[in-house]
Structures are given as C-alpha cells and as structure tokens.
Amino acid sequence: MINLSLGRHDFLNAVEGFARGSHLRQHVWQEIVYKSIPQMSDDDMDFLWFYMRRDIFECYFYELNGKKNTYFGYEDFMHALAALHRGNRYMVTFYNEIEHKQLQALCYRFDGGYHPLYLYIDGKVVGKTKKSSGLQSFNAFVPNGWIKAVAKHKAPENRHVELGREEWWNDLEIYDNFKTKLL
C-alpha cells in the first residue's frame, strides 16, 4: 500500500488523468475518490465536486448527431458525485433485519436508494478507529423496507460553484434519475 498526501489541486489533476485514461477509469471513483472522503474537509469536497462536475462530466456524457451517449464508467462517476455532494445528505433511521437492531446512517441518495457514508450506534460512528474511518462500502445501500425515517440535512452553500452554474448544485434529482435525465 502506498500512502500519498496530495493537495486538492494535485488530487483533482490525478483523478482527471485517471478518468481520461482508458482502463484506469474503472476503479478511480470507488477506490480513490470515494475512499478519500474521510480525509477531506467540507471545502475540499465542495471543490472536488464542482471541478469534477465542470471538467470531467464530458468524459462520460456526450452528444453525437443529436443522440446522447455515455462512456464506460459513467455510473460510478455519478455515484462518486452523489457521495461528494454535501447538499445530498440524509440521516436515515432503519431497522436492520439481519442484526435485529435499529441503526442510523448518514446517507446520500443515488439511483433511487439511500447509500450510507457512515453508520451510527448511540451517536457514534460504527467502525471508526485509529486505523479505520468507518466509511461504508461504495456499493452499500439501505433496503427500502428497512427504512423507518428520513431527515434531509440542510443544503450548504458551495463557494466554488461559478455564477450561472448554480443549477448543478441545486439539482439533486440528477443522482436519482441520471439514466433518464442524461441518456
């Protein structure tokens, strides 16, 4: 395992290079961007979300002869954007039918479901230790039948969003309906 310490600009440049590479883009979103979330400040997440939306989006979605198309990896890219978007946060209370206990999770919406960033028991992040951040798996989700309550967090401002592009920050439906909105 190699540990790197990168500033946000270097991190963004590396991610963009991986995203534009043919075979490299397969794992960049879940193995690099998603797993880096616990190390990011709120401002880092806002910065990365905006510049990835502005500069990398066209790597996955394009129009040719009036027809909308995608490149391989677009779903993972949208999944990472949904996870980074701090306005896309929900506290979900659910009854875990496997462990037979009620839990809470800080989640984000993606593809019609709630995906946990962090699980909580008694107000503490589950699995958070000196060696582990408690971040849940990229593919984890809370089954709809388990959900008891959902509370949306207030959407924060993102100082990095450029004038004229505020709709990108405010359009949370894109994460639930990206297949119909973008294809």
Side-chain angles (χ1 to χ4, degrees):
M1 167 71 78
I2 297 173
N3 291 319
L4 296 173
S5 179
L6 300 173
R8 64 170 67 161
H9 295 283
D10 291 333
F11 185 76
L12 179 62
N13 288 332
V15 167
E16 187 169 5
F18 292 135
R20 293 186 188 280
S22 60
H23 67 287
L24 298 173
R25 73 171 83 194
Q26 291 175 317
H27 301 290
V28 68
W29 305 114
Q30 55 187 299
E31 296 299 323
I32 296 174
V33 174
Y34 184 78
K35 286 185 177 176
S36 297
I37 287 174
Q39 300 173 44
M40 295 181 202
S41 69
D42 289 348
D43 195 56
D44 289 338
M45 282 190 278
D46 290 351
F47 172 88
L48 289 167
W49 177 88
F50 177 72
Y51 288 101
M52 287 187 337
R53 173 62 178 91
R54 188 190 76 177
D55 299 340
I56 301 176
F57 193 83
E58 78 277 355
C59 290
Y60 294 97
F61 299 96
Y62 67 99
E63 195 168 316
L64 181 64
N65 299 326
K67 185 177 183 240
K68 294 180 178 181
N69 296 287
T70 61
Y71 287 113
F72 177 76
Y74 76 94
E75 288 186 43
D76 283 351
F77 170 71
M78 290 301 294
H79 192 148
L81 278 182
L84 280 173
H85 194 302
R86 292 185 318 112
N88 186 23
R89 296 286 188 266
Y90 304 83
M91 187 56 75
V92 177
T93 303
F94 62 98
Y95 184 78
N96 183 320
E97 294 184 6
I98 295 169
E99 297 179 20
H100 303 290
K101 64 173 99 170
Q102 186 163 298
L103 301 171
Q104 283 190 313
L106 178 64
C107 296
Y108 57 94
R109 292 268 314 162
F110 178 72
D111 203 17
Y114 291 97
H115 296 260
L117 281 170
Y118 301 100
L119 290 178
Y120 292 88
I121 294 180
D122 299 325
K124 295 182 182 174
V125 176
V126 175
K128 187 170 185 171
T129 65
K130 287 184 179 182
K131 293 188 178 198
S132 173
S133 67
L135 184 72
Q136 297 301 296
S137 165
F138 185 73
N139 295 312
F141 66 94
V142 179
N144 287 334
W146 291 10
I147 296 173
K148 302 299 178 199
V150 175
K152 182 168 183 357
H153 284 210
K154 184 179 180 213
E157 294 289 321
N158 182 338
R159 70 182 185 93
H160 300 284
V161 174
E162 297 168 348
L163 288 175
R165 296 194 171 155
E166 299 88 354
E167 72 277 2
W168 291 353
W169 183 250
N170 297 322
D171 182 11
L172 296 179
E173 283 185 32
I174 197 168
Y175 303 116
D176 273 338
N177 303 311
F178 66 95
K179 292 175 184 170
T180 55
K181 284 185 101 170
L182 300 172
L183 305 178

